[in-house]
Amino acid sequence: MSLSTFWSELTQRNRYYLALVDEKKEIMGFGGIAFNGADADIQTMVIKPEFQKKGYGKQLLDALLEKVHENNSKRVFLEVVAENKPAISLYLSRKFEQIAKRSNYYPDGSDAVIMQLDLRSK
Ligand SMILES: CC(C)(COP(=O)(O)OP(=O)(O)OC[C@H]1O[C@@H](n2cnc3c(N)ncnc32)[C@H](O)[C@@H]1OP(=O)(O)O)[C@@H](O)C(=O)NCCC(=O)NCCS
């Protein structure tokens, strides 16, 4: 994502962004959601490499999902590079399901997996 796209996302009113910071207030990671009616979309989620595999990704995702619950969203969607095993297992651990695959989705030709967390009572 380019810096200008990122800033323009931040200014949209249906967006919610959250940063995880350390004791020196340095950013360890951040994530963002867009709310569209009953649906929410995870737009971005990243933990800086030096802080990965320490549980911060789960912490960040859980904080984003808390906001989803507060907002009464019924479904949460996201797209992720099909080869991104760390992210896919993180989302699976929080009950997201793979609902579709898009071939050649990204500019570099890689495939995307579309995932959904269905919060409607079944
Ligand atoms: C995906 C990402 C946010 C995970 O953050 P993290 O802080 O490393 O994740 P956690 O330490 O909280 O781990 C949570 C779960 O993710 C999965 N996971 C994390 N790293 C993994 C790895 N290298 N291989 C496989 N699974 C992994 C595991 O299921 C793990 O749960 P477990 O520890 O109980 O097995 C991080 O790898 C990242 O920022 N990647 C680059 C950006 C990115 O791909 N963002 C997602 C775009 S949709």
Side-chain angles (χ1 to χ4, degrees):
M1 182 191 300
S2 72
L3 197 56
S4 62
T5 312
F6 183 64
W7 281 117
S8 78
E9 275 201 14
L10 282 181
T11 57
Q12 293 185 41
R13 299 181 73 185
N14 66 335
R15 305 296 168 108
Y16 173 76
Y17 277 81
L18 192 64
L20 265 186
V21 294
D22 66 12
E23 65 281 353
K24 290 183 231 142
K25 301 272 184 271
E26 288 194 11
I27 291 181
M28 302 159 72
F30 62 87
I33 315 179
F35 291 104
N36 300 301
D39 293 341
D41 289 278
I42 294 192
Q43 298 288 302
T44 180
M45 210 185 110
V46 61
I47 298 292
K48 276 166 95 172
E50 62 268 38
F51 297 110
Q52 288 178 7
K53 297 197 78 179
K54 294 177 168 40
Y56 293 119
K58 271 186 187 165
Q59 212 173 301
L60 183 60
L61 181 57
D62 287 347
L64 291 174
L65 292 177
E66 237 172 73
K67 199 70 187 175
V68 163
H69 285 291
E70 269 173 37
N71 199 60
N72 269 323
S73 301
K74 303 296 178 221
R75 295 180 305 177
V76 189
F77 295 97
L78 61 87
E79 77 215 14
V80 54
V81 177
E83 299 301 317
N84 189 346
K85 292 208 170 66
I88 291 175
S89 25
L90 169 62
Y91 297 129
L92 288 173
S93 79
R94 289 303 183 256
K95 308 259 184 296
F96 280 81
E97 296 167 320
Q98 299 189 17
I99 54 166
K101 194 164 180 185
R102 304 252 185 273
S103 297
N104 228 351
Y105 185 82
Y106 295 104
D108 69 357
S110 49
D111 300 341
V113 164
I114 314 295
M115 301 185 81
Q116 172 189 259
L117 175 63
D118 192 345
L119 299 166
R120 296 168 297 187
S121 48
K122 289 183 178 165

